[in-house]
Amino acid sequence: RVHFELTPDNGKTWSKVGPINDGKTWNVIQPSILHHGNGRLQILCRSRNRVLATAWSEDNGLTWSDMKASGLPNPNSGTDAVTLMDGRHLVVYNHAKPPKGTTKGGRTPLNVAVSKDGKRWYASLVLEDSPISQYSYPSVIQSADGLVHIVYTWRRERIKYVCIDPAQLVMKPIRGERWPGTRSPIVANEDRTRYKVSVCDWMLLKRQKLGALALASEIGCDGLELDMGPLGKRPT
């Protein structure tokens, strides 16, 4: 169950809000708080419900809505999130869903998703992607220079640090819990050995459209070989 502790005097005194859920319908822990302005707050929580759970407050955390699914999967692993200076929201989490009937799964891959409103999330970055698993317990902050700093457990052996510029992040839609480039939701603990896939001898003559390049990206190709054709007497 999730509860909050509030202080009006920098930690001298505290008051308790919640728990805001019964621990049965939604079994959640470790909330991260996002700020939407005008007293509106959102939390993202690790859960045993196979998805990242979310709830909203309209009064700076004094009362909260019921929990519901965020649209992002969660294999009962820790997450962290932050509201960026530009108003967007960023979450670091394992984009993997436990097999049906279970509440826990492997902690790989480790992903970064971004949202403008906290409701629709977009795939932005894959930090780790290996069947070896155990990329877990991320922590994220944004520094005064605008850069985002992420640390996480790397295979239970080390702590890894990554620095990213959020202005450079792409935002690709996540539909049906499918990370872009995958045909189905990623199932935790499945064999995810990945082979490099390239499009070879892709014709790009005068009659073809440059939209083919975007198509190659959309279908998730790792490489693209272009055939521009002979120059002949043409100046370009």
Side-chain angles (χ1 to χ4, degrees):
R1 297 186 299 172
V2 166
H3 79 270
F4 301 89
E5 296 180 24
L6 291 74
T7 176
D9 48 21
N10 295 318
K12 294 180 181 178
T13 60
W14 292 86
S15 60
K16 182 178 178 180
V17 172
I20 66 170
N21 64 301
D22 61 10
K24 298 176 182 178
T25 305
W26 286 96
N27 191 326
V28 297
I29 56 174
Q30 299 171 356
S32 300
I33 301 176
L34 300 175
H35 301 262
H36 291 265
N38 298 320
R40 196 164 189 244
L41 304 177
Q42 178 188 12
I43 54 171
L44 293 173
C45 304
R46 169 183 175 178
S47 87
R48 289 180 176 268
N49 298 72
R50 304 172 67 230
V51 294
L52 255 172
T54 187
W56 295 78
S57 171
E58 304 292 339
D59 53 14
N60 279 312
L62 296 178
T63 60
W64 289 86
S65 70
D66 292 335
M67 290 279 180
K68 65 178 184 178
S70 67
L72 301 174
N74 183 245
N76 188 19
S77 62
T79 71
D80 198 17
V82 66
T83 298
L84 301 175
M85 295 174 183
D86 63 12
R88 294 181 299 166
H89 312 281
L90 181 150
V91 61
V92 187
Y93 69 110
N94 298 113
H95 190 94
K97 198 173 187 85
K100 196 169 184 178
T102 66
T103 60
K104 189 175 182 179
R107 294 169 178 176
T108 185
L110 185 64
N111 308 68
V112 174
V114 175
S115 175
K116 296 178 180 179
D117 58 8
K119 297 176 181 178
R120 275 189 81 183
W121 292 92
Y122 294 83
S124 294
L125 186 65
V126 179
L127 294 169
E128 301 283 353
D129 187 6
S130 167
I132 296 177
S133 188
Q134 286 302 340
Y135 307 108
S136 50
Y137 298 106
S139 180
V140 57
I141 62 170
Q142 185 177 31
S143 50
D145 58 7
L147 296 177
V148 169
H149 307 268
I150 304 169
V151 295
Y152 54 92
T153 299
W154 188 88
R155 300 183 185 176
R156 301 268 180 176
E157 296 175 10
R158 296 177 175 85
I159 300 297
K160 186 169 180 177
Y161 163 72
V162 177
C163 178
I164 60 178
D165 180 357
Q168 302 300 316
L169 290 175
V170 298
M171 293 180 65
K172 296 183 178 181
I174 298 173
R175 298 187 177 96
E177 297 183 349
R178 295 193 306 272
W179 191 264
T182 61
R183 298 188 177 208
S184 61
I186 297 171
V187 179
N189 300 330
E190 71 180 347
D191 182 2
R192 298 182 55 248
T193 303
R194 190 172 189 276
Y195 298 91
K196 294 289 185 180
V197 178
S198 177
V199 176
C200 298
D201 202 22
W202 193 307
M203 303 297 290
L204 194 64
L205 306 179
K206 292 180 71 176
R207 295 178 298 278
Q208 276 69 46
K209 298 179 180 179
L210 287 175
L213 297 176
L215 175 61
S217 174
E218 182 181 345
I219 65 178
C221 289
D222 297 295
L224 179 63
E225 179 198 2
L226 291 177
D227 182 356
M228 304 297 290
L231 182 60
K233 297 181 179 180
R234 291 169 291 182
T236 59

